[in-house]
Amino acid sequence: LERVQYSLELLQAGQPVPRGTCLAAFLFKPFDELIHVGLLRRHEQEILSVHPNVTGMLIVDSVLCEQQILKPGDILLRLEGDVCIEFVGLEAVLDMRVGGFVQMLVCRAGVELTVQTSVADLHALIPRSFVELGLDLLHSIGYHAARRAHLPLDSGMYLARTGFVFESAGCGRASLVCTVGKTKTPTADDLCEALAHIQDRQYFPISWYELSDFRRDRNVRTGYAKMARAWSPLRLWACSASGSSGGPE
């Protein structure tokens, strides 16, 4: 619970808790499995010489579309010049380098590569605002949904709750609304701007993905939604990063 204690102490001191991400998810796997994906025996011996009791290492499991440096299957050998074989050490370095870069030595299919990748602010990738319209609730796709679906972070707006508007076009919960009319909707502001001029009860074209069945069907769907402003007007709710309550704009 080292990182939990670290975060708690910062909160008790009234300070923000930095959270960095290299837009990649890591897994801890034993040496025997890593050998099959390219880890060399000398790498294992080097790690054991530093950490005699360790049984495995960290490997990249998946990456976001925006991560162009790391690849799934990359085995982390060193981070900032030091051996890194656990999540605590990885997270500590990433948290300290938010907005900057980290240098990694990875093993990719048996070849050592030194790479430099940027560190993003994980807080900024978590949805903190949502759009309300006709009992529909939508927010940006966010880090976790983008990673699961392997879609860019600016792909569209996630339909968290269906109401009278988007359900009329056939959108289900967890749909990703990509366009309204001819306007792309990567952010809440873009969605509000696209919807603002549409009159009540007017039909308008939209396109979307069904993320609930996305692994089987990755086709973009299109249809016509009917505007319904009677139940709830168009509102943009925003929450600050500090956690203070937000309100409609």
Side-chain angles (χ1 to χ4, degrees):
L1 300 177
E2 294 182 27
R3 301 307 293 171
V4 175
Q5 181 180 356
Y6 166 78
S7 300
L8 178 60
E9 290 173 352
L10 288 177
L11 292 173
Q12 290 174 332
Q15 300 178 8
V17 180
R19 296 189 67 193
T21 174
C22 58
L23 303 181
F26 289 80
L27 291 178
F28 182 87
K29 289 196 173 183
F31 288 120
D32 290 343
E33 291 188 28
L34 296 176
I35 292 295
H36 293 299
V37 293
L39 184 70
L40 304 180
R41 287 296 181 184
R42 66 178 178 85
H43 292 147
E44 180 181 356
Q45 296 304 318
E46 290 173 1
I47 298 300
L48 291 174
S49 67
V50 180
H51 301 281
N53 298 322
V54 74
T55 59
M57 301 172 65
L58 299 178
I59 182 173
V60 177
D61 177 55
S62 62
V63 298
L64 270 70
C65 295
E66 287 77 5
Q67 173 55 266
Q68 300 295 316
I69 305 299
L70 296 173
K71 306 294 182 183
D74 285 351
I75 303 169
L76 181 60
L77 301 177
R78 290 182 179 271
L79 179 62
E80 291 294 307
D82 298 323
V83 172
C84 182
I85 47 86
E86 58 183 9
F87 293 106
V88 172
L90 174 63
E91 292 173 0
V93 172
L94 293 178
D95 290 347
M96 291 189 299
R97 299 298 178 89
V98 174
F101 295 85
V102 292
Q103 188 176 79
M104 297 181 177
L105 177 64
V106 301
C107 177
R108 181 179 298 169
V111 179
E112 290 186 7
L113 296 174
T114 299
V115 300
Q116 188 178 61
T117 183
S118 59
V119 180
D121 182 4
L122 186 58
H123 290 302
L125 304 181
I126 304 301
R128 294 185 178 277
S129 61
F130 65 90
V131 176
E132 181 182 16
L133 173 65
L135 300 184
D136 290 285
L137 288 179
L138 303 96
H139 57 70
S140 60
I141 184 173
Y143 175 91
H144 299 289
R147 184 176 69 85
R148 287 195 303 269
H150 196 63
L151 285 171
L153 289 163
D154 60 353
S155 295
M157 293 291 290
Y158 183 92
L159 184 60
R161 187 182 74 187
T162 56
F164 294 104
V165 179
F166 292 96
E167 190 176 40
S168 66
C171 296
R173 183 183 177 277
S175 295
L176 189 69
V177 180
C178 305
T179 62
V180 171
K182 297 181 179 180
T183 304
K184 293 184 178 180
T185 56
T187 67
D189 289 329
D190 293 324
L191 179 63
C192 287
E193 184 176 350
L195 293 171
H197 69 280
I198 301 175
Q199 300 299 317
D200 191 29
R201 299 184 180 182
Q202 179 181 340
Y203 285 90
F204 58 95
I206 63 172
S207 66
W208 74 94
Y209 291 111
E210 288 287 351
L211 297 188
S212 60
D213 196 28
F214 200 59
R215 291 189 177 183
R216 187 182 64 86
D217 183 5
R218 298 179 71 92
N219 294 318
V220 178
R221 305 189 182 190
T222 59
Y224 282 83
K226 184 179 180 181
M227 178 59 71
R229 298 181 181 273
W231 289 97
S232 63
L234 177 63
R235 292 178 178 176
L236 172 59
W237 296 80
C239 179
S240 67
S242 62
S244 59
S245 59
E249 298 181 1

